[in-house]
């Protein structure tokens, strides 16, 4: 026997036709739509009224008439538990999709940790920092410091520029070095041999290496000496990668301030602290806390190293 449709039901039971709410002949307050029945814990059985619209017919039910609306069957404890498990798994899947798009940032953090650990194992590791007369590559060096991977000071000296020079007020505001402090300091040329010997066969980390390397090259030219030969890497870029503050606008990690004392030796020591901070971090993949909680709630075991 074919199942009776709503149209067939209308043919069998005469429905009262109403206009939309707020208009003349609107339905009485006690009649409810399917959605309104649901909020009352009832299910529709047989409509008693209808509102015709251009797109659909809105059927109305009488919650006080058992022939029109009846209480919904309550779920069993097992069914309720199954529904809850389903909701938790759905929530977990949604979170996982959102977070998985950025898993590569976590892998970048792990790469930075492994890199930092390798640097600290290197017996030839040095950390160098300079203070200058300005913030351009043509600036003069007025202080230089070099430490090793153990934090031991190998060089810490003010440096008197040659030729015509002044210290920009902006630079003084950063490092606090005044021109009169340099009157008895050695020149970069005087320090050149010491610096060259220290950098030979060493691997040099510099926080913000691009500018410092350019200024060192300028210093060699000013004292008419060959460019210093050394291998270097930028600790600032690695530290920024480890922090993981990605900028979609720049397509790169946002640079992180060193947070040092803005004097050469203090900045070397702070740079070593930053390197150690990276190396001390976990090299295991770390999921966001709320994703871990969602996985536990859903009974899902997260992979140790997920694909992305």
């Amino acid at each position: 026997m074919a199942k009776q449709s709503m149209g067939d039901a209308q043919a069998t039971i005469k429905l009262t036709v109403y206009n939309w709410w707020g208009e003349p002949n609107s339905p009485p307050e006690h009649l409810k739509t399917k959605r309104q029945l649901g909020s009352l814990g009832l299910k529709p059985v047989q409509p008693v009224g209808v509102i015709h619209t251009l797109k659909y017919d809105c059927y109305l039910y009488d919650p006080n008439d058992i022939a029109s609306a009846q209480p919904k069957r309550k779920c069993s404890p097992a069914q309720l538990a199954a529904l809850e498990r389903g909701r938790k798994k759905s929530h977990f899947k949604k979170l996982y999709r959102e977070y998985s798009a950025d898993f590569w940032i976590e892998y970048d953090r792990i790469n930075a940790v492994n890199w930092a650990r390798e640097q600290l194992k290197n017996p030839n590791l040095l950390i160098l920092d300079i203070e200058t007369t300005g913030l351009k590559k043509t600036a003069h060096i007025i202080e230089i410091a070099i430490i090793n991977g153990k934090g031991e000071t190998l060089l810490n000296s003010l440096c008197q520029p040659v030729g015509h020079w002044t210290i920009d007020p902006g630079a003084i505001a950063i490092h606090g070095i005044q021109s009169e402090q340099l009157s008895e300091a050695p020149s970069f040329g005087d320090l050149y041999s010491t610096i060259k010997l220290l950098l030979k066969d060493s691997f040099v980390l510099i926080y913000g290496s691009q500018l410092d390397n350019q200024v060192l090259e300028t210093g060699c030219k000013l004292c008419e000496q060959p460019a210093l030969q050394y291998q270097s890497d930028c600790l600032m870029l690695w530290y920024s990668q480890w922090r993981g503050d990605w900028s979609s606008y720049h397509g790169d990690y946002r640079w992180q301030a060193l947070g040092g004392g803005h004097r050469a030796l203090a900045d070397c020591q702070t740079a070593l602290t930053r390197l150690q901070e990276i190396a001390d971090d976990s090299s295991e993949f770390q999921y966001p806390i709320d994703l871990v909680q969602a996985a536990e709630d859903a009974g899902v075991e997260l992979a140790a190293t997920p694909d992305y």
Side-chain angles (χ1 to χ4, degrees):
M1 183 176 178
K3 188 175 181 181
Q4 188 182 43
S5 67
M6 188 63 74
D8 296 332
Q10 282 185 264
T12 305
I13 300 174
K14 185 177 180 180
L15 303 180
T16 303
V17 178
Y18 297 99
N19 293 328
W20 200 258
W21 289 271
E23 299 178 2
N25 191 37
S26 59
E29 187 176 349
H30 74 280
L31 296 187
K32 306 297 181 184
T33 64
K34 287 183 180 180
R35 179 173 293 182
Q36 290 170 330
L37 284 181
S39 66
L40 297 173
L42 300 174
K43 63 179 181 180
V45 177
Q46 181 64 52
V48 296
V50 64
I51 299 175
H52 297 300
T53 71
L54 292 175
K55 294 185 177 180
Y56 62 91
D57 289 336
C58 178
Y59 293 101
L60 303 169
Y61 302 83
D62 186 350
N64 301 315
D65 183 355
I66 196 169
S68 180
Q70 295 179 2
K72 291 181 178 180
R73 188 183 66 169
K74 292 185 178 180
C75 295
S76 67
Q79 289 173 321
L80 291 173
L83 287 171
E84 182 63 18
R85 287 195 299 271
R87 281 193 290 267
K88 288 179 177 179
K89 285 187 177 180
S90 178
H91 175 62
F92 164 74
K93 289 179 180 178
K94 179 177 181 293
L95 275 184
Y96 193 92
R97 284 194 300 269
E98 292 173 357
Y99 280 121
S100 61
D102 292 332
F103 278 171
W104 58 273
I105 294 179
E106 175 62 8
Y107 278 111
D108 272 359
R109 182 194 65 79
I110 293 172
N111 289 337
V113 171
N114 292 330
W115 171 85
R117 292 175 181 177
E118 288 301 313
Q119 304 316 305
L120 290 172
K121 292 177 184 176
N122 185 355
N124 297 318
L125 174 66
L126 297 180
I127 296 177
L128 178 148
D129 191 84
I130 59 175
E131 303 300 333
T132 62
T133 57
L135 301 177
K136 297 181 180 179
K137 65 181 182 180
T138 54
H140 295 260
I141 298 171
I142 57 175
E143 188 175 49
I144 183 168
I146 301 174
I147 66 174
N148 61 21
K150 298 178 181 179
E152 298 168 338
T153 302
L154 306 180
L155 175 66
N156 180 32
S157 176
L158 290 170
C159 186
Q160 183 176 176
V162 295
H164 177 72
W165 57 274
T166 57
I167 304 177
D168 293 344
I172 295 175
I174 294 173
H175 51 59
I177 301 174
Q178 303 283 347
S179 57
E180 53 267 24
Q181 295 175 249
L182 308 177
S183 59
E184 302 297 325
S187 67
F188 184 79
D190 296 331
L191 298 172
Y192 178 84
S193 297
T194 300
I195 297 170
K196 180 181 179 181
L197 184 62
L198 288 172
L199 299 187
K200 182 182 178 183
D201 300 325
S202 296
F203 188 80
V204 185
L205 291 183
I206 304 172
Y207 204 90
S209 63
Q210 183 176 6
L211 178 61
D212 284 15
N213 284 333
Q214 292 173 335
V215 173
L216 283 169
E217 183 178 349
T218 298
C220 292
K221 290 179 180 178
L222 289 173
C223 69
E224 300 180 343
Q225 293 290 348
L228 295 164
Q229 301 299 313
Y230 59 94
Q231 289 183 306
S232 69
D233 203 348
C234 183
L235 178 56
M236 181 185 70
L237 296 182
W238 281 101
Y239 185 71
S240 299
Q241 176 176 314
W242 175 73
R243 290 291 298 270
D245 186 8
W246 180 258
S247 168
S248 298
Y249 179 81
H250 293 100
D252 205 347
Y253 292 103
R254 291 182 177 86
W255 292 354
Q256 302 296 314
L258 175 60
H262 299 302
R263 293 295 297 266
L265 182 59
D267 283 355
C268 283
Q269 293 166 339
T270 303
L272 180 59
T273 300
R274 296 288 173 262
L275 181 64
Q276 189 67 59
E277 185 180 354
I278 301 172
D280 288 343
D281 196 13
S282 172
S283 58
E284 296 181 357
F285 192 95
Q286 296 179 343
Y287 290 96
I289 295 175
D290 54 343
L291 182 59
V292 173
Q293 185 61 56
E296 291 178 358
D297 292 343
V300 176
E301 184 176 352
L302 291 167
T305 52
D307 296 327
Y308 68 100

Short mmCIF file of all heavy atoms in Angstrom, two decimals, residues 253-282:
data_model
loop_
_atom_site.label_atom_id
_atom_site.label_comp_id
_atom_site.label_asym_id
_atom_site.label_seq_id
_atom_site.Cartn_x
_atom_site.Cartn_y
_atom_site.Cartn_z
N TYR A 253 57.92 34.97 8.80
CA TYR A 253 57.71 35.15 10.24
C TYR A 253 58.05 36.58 10.64
O TYR A 253 59.00 37.17 10.12
CB TYR A 253 58.58 34.16 11.03
CG TYR A 253 58.15 32.73 10.85
CD1 TYR A 253 58.86 31.87 10.01
CD2 TYR A 253 57.03 32.22 11.50
CE1 TYR A 253 58.46 30.55 9.83
CE2 TYR A 253 56.62 30.92 11.32
CZ TYR A 253 57.35 30.09 10.48
OH TYR A 253 56.93 28.79 10.30
N ARG A 254 57.28 37.12 11.57
CA ARG A 254 57.56 38.47 12.05
C ARG A 254 58.85 38.45 12.86
O ARG A 254 59.05 37.60 13.71
CB ARG A 254 56.41 38.97 12.92
CG ARG A 254 55.13 39.24 12.14
CD ARG A 254 54.03 39.78 13.04
NE ARG A 254 52.82 40.10 12.29
CZ ARG A 254 51.86 39.24 11.98
NH1 ARG A 254 51.97 37.97 12.40
NH2 ARG A 254 50.80 39.60 11.29
N TRP A 255 59.72 39.41 12.58
CA TRP A 255 60.99 39.48 13.29
C TRP A 255 60.76 39.78 14.76
O TRP A 255 59.94 40.63 15.12
CB TRP A 255 61.87 40.56 12.68
CG TRP A 255 62.34 40.22 11.29
CD1 TRP A 255 62.15 39.04 10.62
CD2 TRP A 255 63.06 41.07 10.39
NE1 TRP A 255 62.70 39.09 9.38
CE2 TRP A 255 63.28 40.33 9.21
CE3 TRP A 255 63.55 42.36 10.48
CZ2 TRP A 255 63.97 40.85 8.12
CZ3 TRP A 255 64.23 42.89 9.40
CH2 TRP A 255 64.45 42.15 8.24
N GLN A 256 61.51 39.10 15.59
CA GLN A 256 61.39 39.25 17.04
C GLN A 256 62.56 40.08 17.56
O GLN A 256 63.71 39.85 17.18
CB GLN A 256 61.38 37.89 17.72
CG GLN A 256 60.27 36.97 17.24
CD GLN A 256 58.89 37.49 17.58
OE1 GLN A 256 58.64 37.93 18.70
NE2 GLN A 256 57.98 37.45 16.62
N ALA A 257 62.28 41.04 18.43
CA ALA A 257 63.34 41.86 19.03
C ALA A 257 64.21 41.00 19.92
O ALA A 257 63.73 40.06 20.57
CB ALA A 257 62.73 43.01 19.82
N LEU A 258 65.49 41.31 19.97
CA LEU A 258 66.43 40.54 20.80
C LEU A 258 66.11 40.72 22.28
O LEU A 258 66.16 39.76 23.05
CB LEU A 258 67.86 41.00 20.50
CG LEU A 258 68.97 40.39 21.38
CD1 LEU A 258 68.99 38.87 21.23
CD2 LEU A 258 70.32 41.00 21.02
N GLY A 259 65.81 41.95 22.67
CA GLY A 259 65.53 42.20 24.09
C GLY A 259 66.79 42.27 24.93
O GLY A 259 66.76 41.98 26.13
N GLY A 260 67.89 42.66 24.31
CA GLY A 260 69.15 42.77 25.05
C GLY A 260 69.34 44.16 25.63
O GLY A 260 68.43 44.99 25.65
N GLY A 261 70.57 44.44 26.07
CA GLY A 261 70.86 45.73 26.71
C GLY A 261 71.34 46.79 25.75
O GLY A 261 71.68 47.90 26.17
N HIS A 262 71.41 46.46 24.43
CA HIS A 262 71.81 47.40 23.39
C HIS A 262 73.26 47.85 23.51
O HIS A 262 73.64 48.91 23.01
CB HIS A 262 70.88 48.62 23.35
CG HIS A 262 69.46 48.27 23.05
ND1 HIS A 262 69.06 47.61 21.91
CD2 HIS A 262 68.32 48.46 23.79
CE1 HIS A 262 67.75 47.43 21.94
NE2 HIS A 262 67.28 47.91 23.06
N ARG A 263 74.06 47.06 24.21
CA ARG A 263 75.51 47.19 24.14
C ARG A 263 76.03 45.86 23.60
O ARG A 263 75.41 44.80 23.78
CB ARG A 263 76.11 47.51 25.51
CG ARG A 263 75.74 48.88 26.03
CD ARG A 263 76.32 50.01 25.17
NE ARG A 263 77.76 50.02 25.15
CZ ARG A 263 78.52 50.77 25.97
NH1 ARG A 263 77.94 51.55 26.87
NH2 ARG A 263 79.84 50.73 25.87
N ALA A 264 77.18 45.90 22.92
CA ALA A 264 77.63 44.75 22.15
C ALA A 264 77.75 43.47 22.98
O ALA A 264 77.23 42.42 22.61
CB ALA A 264 78.97 45.08 21.48
N LEU A 265 78.42 43.55 24.14
CA LEU A 265 78.61 42.35 24.95
C LEU A 265 77.29 41.86 25.52
O LEU A 265 77.01 40.64 25.50
CB LEU A 265 79.61 42.62 26.08
CG LEU A 265 79.92 41.41 26.98
CD1 LEU A 265 80.49 40.26 26.16
CD2 LEU A 265 80.88 41.80 28.10
N ALA A 266 76.46 42.76 26.03
CA ALA A 266 75.17 42.37 26.59
C ALA A 266 74.29 41.72 25.53
O ALA A 266 73.58 40.74 25.80
CB ALA A 266 74.47 43.59 27.18
N ASP A 267 74.36 42.24 24.30
CA ASP A 267 73.55 41.66 23.23
C ASP A 267 74.08 40.28 22.82
O ASP A 267 73.29 39.40 22.47
CB ASP A 267 73.51 42.60 22.03
CG ASP A 267 72.57 43.78 22.24
OD1 ASP A 267 71.88 43.80 23.28
OD2 ASP A 267 72.52 44.67 21.38
N CYS A 268 75.39 40.09 22.86
CA CYS A 268 75.96 38.76 22.60
C CYS A 268 75.45 37.75 23.63
O CYS A 268 75.05 36.63 23.28
CB CYS A 268 77.49 38.80 22.65
SG CYS A 268 78.28 39.49 21.18
N GLN A 269 75.48 38.15 24.88
CA GLN A 269 75.03 37.25 25.95
C GLN A 269 73.54 36.95 25.84
O GLN A 269 73.11 35.82 26.06
CB GLN A 269 75.37 37.88 27.30
CG GLN A 269 76.87 37.98 27.55
CD GLN A 269 77.23 38.90 28.71
OE1 GLN A 269 76.44 39.76 29.11
NE2 GLN A 269 78.43 38.72 29.26
N THR A 270 72.75 37.97 25.47
CA THR A 270 71.31 37.75 25.29
C THR A 270 71.06 36.84 24.10
O THR A 270 70.17 35.98 24.13
CB THR A 270 70.57 39.08 25.09
OG1 THR A 270 70.82 39.92 26.22
CG2 THR A 270 69.07 38.86 24.96
N ALA A 271 71.84 37.02 23.04
CA ALA A 271 71.70 36.16 21.86
C ALA A 271 71.97 34.70 22.22
O ALA A 271 71.27 33.79 21.76
CB ALA A 271 72.65 36.63 20.76
N LEU A 272 72.99 34.45 23.04
CA LEU A 272 73.27 33.09 23.48
C LEU A 272 72.12 32.53 24.30
O LEU A 272 71.76 31.35 24.18
CB LEU A 272 74.57 33.07 24.29
CG LEU A 272 75.00 31.69 24.82
CD1 LEU A 272 75.20 30.70 23.68
CD2 LEU A 272 76.29 31.81 25.66
N THR A 273 71.52 33.38 25.13
CA THR A 273 70.35 32.97 25.90
C THR A 273 69.19 32.59 24.98
O THR A 273 68.49 31.60 25.23
CB THR A 273 69.91 34.10 26.85
OG1 THR A 273 70.97 34.40 27.75
CG2 THR A 273 68.67 33.70 27.65
N ARG A 274 68.99 33.36 23.93
CA ARG A 274 67.93 33.04 22.97
C ARG A 274 68.22 31.71 22.27
O ARG A 274 67.30 30.91 22.05
CB ARG A 274 67.80 34.16 21.92
CG ARG A 274 67.37 35.49 22.50
CD ARG A 274 65.91 35.47 22.92
NE ARG A 274 65.57 36.69 23.63
CZ ARG A 274 65.52 36.83 24.95
NH1 ARG A 274 65.79 35.77 25.72
NH2 ARG A 274 65.22 37.96 25.52
N LEU A 275 69.46 31.47 21.92
CA LEU A 275 69.84 30.21 21.28
C LEU A 275 69.57 29.04 22.22
O LEU A 275 69.03 28.01 21.80
CB LEU A 275 71.32 30.25 20.89
CG LEU A 275 71.87 28.99 20.18
CD1 LEU A 275 71.18 28.77 18.84
CD2 LEU A 275 73.38 29.10 20.01
N GLN A 276 69.92 29.20 23.49
CA GLN A 276 69.69 28.15 24.47
C GLN A 276 68.19 27.94 24.70
O GLN A 276 67.73 26.81 24.88
CB GLN A 276 70.37 28.53 25.80
CG GLN A 276 70.37 27.41 26.82
CD GLN A 276 71.24 26.24 26.39
OE1 GLN A 276 72.44 26.40 26.17
NE2 GLN A 276 70.64 25.06 26.27
N GLU A 277 67.44 29.03 24.65
CA GLU A 277 65.99 28.95 24.82
C GLU A 277 65.37 28.08 23.73
O GLU A 277 64.48 27.26 24.00
CB GLU A 277 65.41 30.37 24.77
CG GLU A 277 63.92 30.46 25.06
CD GLU A 277 63.42 31.90 25.00
OE1 GLU A 277 64.24 32.82 24.83
OE2 GLU A 277 62.20 32.09 25.08
N ILE A 278 65.83 28.26 22.49
CA ILE A 278 65.33 27.44 21.39
C ILE A 278 65.71 25.98 21.60
O ILE A 278 64.88 25.07 21.47
CB ILE A 278 65.89 27.93 20.04
CG1 ILE A 278 65.52 29.39 19.79
CG2 ILE A 278 65.37 27.06 18.90
CD1 ILE A 278 66.22 30.00 18.58
N ALA A 279 67.00 25.75 21.94
CA ALA A 279 67.50 24.38 22.07
C ALA A 279 66.83 23.62 23.21
O ALA A 279 66.69 22.40 23.14
CB ALA A 279 69.02 24.41 22.29
N ASP A 280 66.39 24.33 24.25
CA ASP A 280 65.76 23.69 25.41
C ASP A 280 64.31 23.29 25.14
O ASP A 280 63.71 22.58 25.94
CB ASP A 280 65.81 24.62 26.62
CG ASP A 280 67.21 24.75 27.19
OD1 ASP A 280 68.06 23.90 26.86
OD2 ASP A 280 67.46 25.70 27.95
N ASP A 281 63.76 23.76 24.03
CA ASP A 281 62.36 23.46 23.72
C ASP A 281 62.22 22.01 23.25
O ASP A 281 63.20 21.36 22.86
CB ASP A 281 61.86 24.41 22.64
CG ASP A 281 60.34 24.44 22.53
OD1 ASP A 281 59.68 23.91 23.45
OD2 ASP A 281 59.83 24.98 21.54
N SER A 282 61.01 21.50 23.27
CA SER A 282 60.76 20.12 22.84
C SER A 282 60.92 19.99 21.33
O SER A 282 60.53 20.88 20.57
CB SER A 282 59.34 19.70 23.23
OG SER A 282 59.02 18.45 22.66
#
